[in-house]
Amino acid sequence: MLERLEEVRKKIESLEMDFRFLKTIKTEMNGIERETWLLEYEGSQFVYVAGQKNVTLGWDVSKCSLGDGVLKGLQEEFEAGHEYYQQGIEEMQEDYQEQIQKAMADGDEAKAEELRAEFAEELKSMKEEISELGYEYWDGFISKWNQQLSECLSPLRTADIGDLIVETDIRFLEEDALSLSEVIPSLKKGPFTLATEDEWEYLCNGGARTLFRWGDTLEDVIDEIFHVGSTIDYQEQTSHILETPNMLGLMIAYDSYQMEIIDNTQFTKGGDGGCSLCGGDGAIYTLPCYTAFYRQAPYTSTLSNNYYCYRRILRLP
């Protein structure tokens, strides 16, 4: 591996771009360990990423199997959601029963009838919400999960990925932009460009065939995504997965608020601007944002620099 890195070093030096070689680093995830160069250019850090031919990318729910750990995590999330809503229904029912009984004891039948109508309407609304989020039945939950994946993930395919120099973390837009078509050309400065969708997915998963870059598990990750700050201070719940560089040494797909711009004018990668998370949409709609294969079409007329970001790459000859 060291011989290979020396070859890469000579190739990078031939670019005459003043890259500074900081050190070799070892990256590891899912039991796979790699060694690569950590570089610096004009104050920003980059890593060298070795390419790979015939890489499988994208996801097809009918052909790609979820790991047992992911299924277990989804089952636990379903049970927690199911219990939460059932408890909510029971508490609401008890509250209305008390109010109705008091109204009847006071001889106010009109008030009691009004409360019954309110309860029926609220119960209907809650059941519709439960059904929409998939927390009614397990089979329905998985069916909605597969439907959502089919709608928001890139198709199953193969691609050849070349050697790359990649910025280790994202940088946000300096100012709001009107559209992806407008901003993308401005982000391709000098020798740098943006990753294609194929390249981005490879950079995120490192060629691994798991739905999530950290592997076939949701243990601890769901708590980190959905329950941070609920009972313990946020800093005490700092992620051991989301805030850890991936197997290529990159910070990528770790925050559903970030929508990373790639070389594509139709969609971004890496998040939905936090809409599903802040909207309380649950695992079915939020978890896919953390996969390499998620696509997000712009949903507003302006690209806010608070959410839209990018990373620079350089393709090696």
Side-chain angles (χ1 to χ4, degrees), residues 84 104 110 142 218:
Y84 170 81
M104 293 180 66
I142 286 298
L218 289 175

Side-chain angles (χ1 to χ4, degrees), residues 284-298:
I284 289 175
Y285 301 98
T286 302
L287 285 177
C289 297
Y290 292 85
T291 76
F293 317 118
Y294 181 75
R295 290 173 166 178
Q296 175 64 46

Side-chain angles (χ1 to χ4, degrees), residues 64-92:
C64 304
S65 301
L66 293 176
D68 291 340
V70 172
L71 287 171
K72 178 183 176 182
L74 289 175
Q75 176 81 50
E76 292 174 351
E77 179 64 17
F78 164 75
E79 291 173 355
H82 181 76
E83 181 180 355
Y84 170 81
Y85 279 104
Q86 290 306 311
Q87 183 177 346
I89 288 177
E90 291 173 5
E91 291 176 353
M92 182 175 66

Side-chain angles (χ1 to χ4, degrees), residues 92 94-104 111-112 115 118:
M92 182 175 66
E94 290 175 1
D95 180 54
Y96 269 102
Q97 284 178 342
E98 290 179 3
Q99 294 183 65
I100 291 171
Q101 288 173 0
K102 184 178 184 303
M104 293 180 66
K111 179 63 174 178
L115 288 168
E118 287 181 6

Side-chain angles (χ1 to χ4, degrees), residues 5-244:
L5 287 178
E6 284 302 322
E7 292 178 8
V8 173
R9 182 183 184 120
K10 293 178 181 178
K11 185 179 294 187
I12 295 173
E13 288 176 341
S14 70
L15 298 174
E16 298 182 350
M17 286 184 60
D18 295 327
F19 274 105
R20 189 159 68 94
F21 292 81
L22 299 180
K23 59 182 177 180
T24 57
I25 58 172
K26 288 185 178 180
T27 59
E28 186 274 334
M29 189 160 287
N30 307 324
I32 301 174
E33 188 175 90
R34 305 188 185 194
E35 192 171 43
T36 189
W37 282 112
L38 179 65
L39 311 167
E40 186 179 72
Y41 180 78
E42 295 184 343
S44 298
Q45 291 192 346
F46 294 76
V47 292
Y48 161 71
V49 174
Q52 185 177 333
K53 290 187 177 297
N54 201 34
V55 182
T56 301
L57 304 167
W59 196 265
D60 185 325
V61 296
S62 66
K63 298 178 181 178
C64 304
S65 301
L66 293 176
D68 291 340
V70 172
L71 287 171
K72 178 183 176 182
L74 289 175
Q75 176 81 50
E76 292 174 351
E77 179 64 17
F78 164 75
E79 291 173 355
H82 181 76
E83 181 180 355
Y84 170 81
Y85 279 104
Q86 290 306 311
Q87 183 177 346
I89 288 177
E90 291 173 5
E91 291 176 353
M92 182 175 66
Q93 186 173 16
E94 290 175 1
D95 180 54
Y96 269 102
Q97 284 178 342
E98 290 179 3
Q99 294 183 65
I100 291 171
Q101 288 173 0
K102 184 178 184 303
M104 293 180 66
D106 293 341
D108 193 344
E109 182 61 35
K111 179 63 174 178
E113 191 61 30
E114 180 183 332
L115 288 168
R116 291 190 188 97
E118 287 181 6
F119 171 65
E121 187 64 29
E122 288 197 32
L123 182 61
K124 177 184 177 183
S125 177
M126 182 172 284
K127 286 186 175 181
E128 289 176 349
E129 181 178 350
I130 294 172
S131 177
E132 176 62 28
L133 296 179
Y135 291 124
E136 189 171 11
Y137 304 107
W138 168 244
D139 288 346
F141 184 89
I142 286 298
S143 177
K144 285 182 176 292
W145 167 261
N146 286 331
Q147 179 183 350
Q148 176 65 8
L149 293 187
S150 297
E151 293 175 355
C152 71
L153 301 189
S154 64
L156 191 64
R157 63 199 187 281
T158 60
D160 292 340
I161 307 297
D163 293 349
L164 303 165
I165 295 176
V166 184
E167 202 155 19
T168 57
D169 205 348
I170 55 94
R171 51 175 60 205
F172 287 95
L173 297 180
E174 294 181 359
E175 56 185 23
D176 295 352
L178 294 177
S179 68
L180 290 174
S181 299
E182 175 200 57
V183 76
I184 286 175
S186 69
L187 302 179
K188 299 178 181 180
K189 296 179 179 179
F192 291 107
T193 188
L194 301 175
T196 64
E197 183 178 33
D198 289 347
E199 290 169 333
W200 196 94
E201 291 186 5
Y202 176 74
L203 293 174
C204 188
N205 266 29
R209 285 308 298 159
T210 56
L211 184 58
F212 300 102
R213 64 173 176 81
W214 56 78
D216 281 325
T217 181
L218 289 175
E219 186 177 2
D220 297 330
V221 181
I222 285 184
D223 284 341
E224 190 64 31
I225 293 172
F226 293 104
H227 309 307
V228 165
S230 58
T231 58
I232 303 176
D233 182 77
Y234 175 79
Q235 293 300 323
E236 295 180 6
Q237 289 192 349
T238 299
S239 172
H240 298 294
I241 298 177
L242 297 182
E243 295 180 7
T244 299

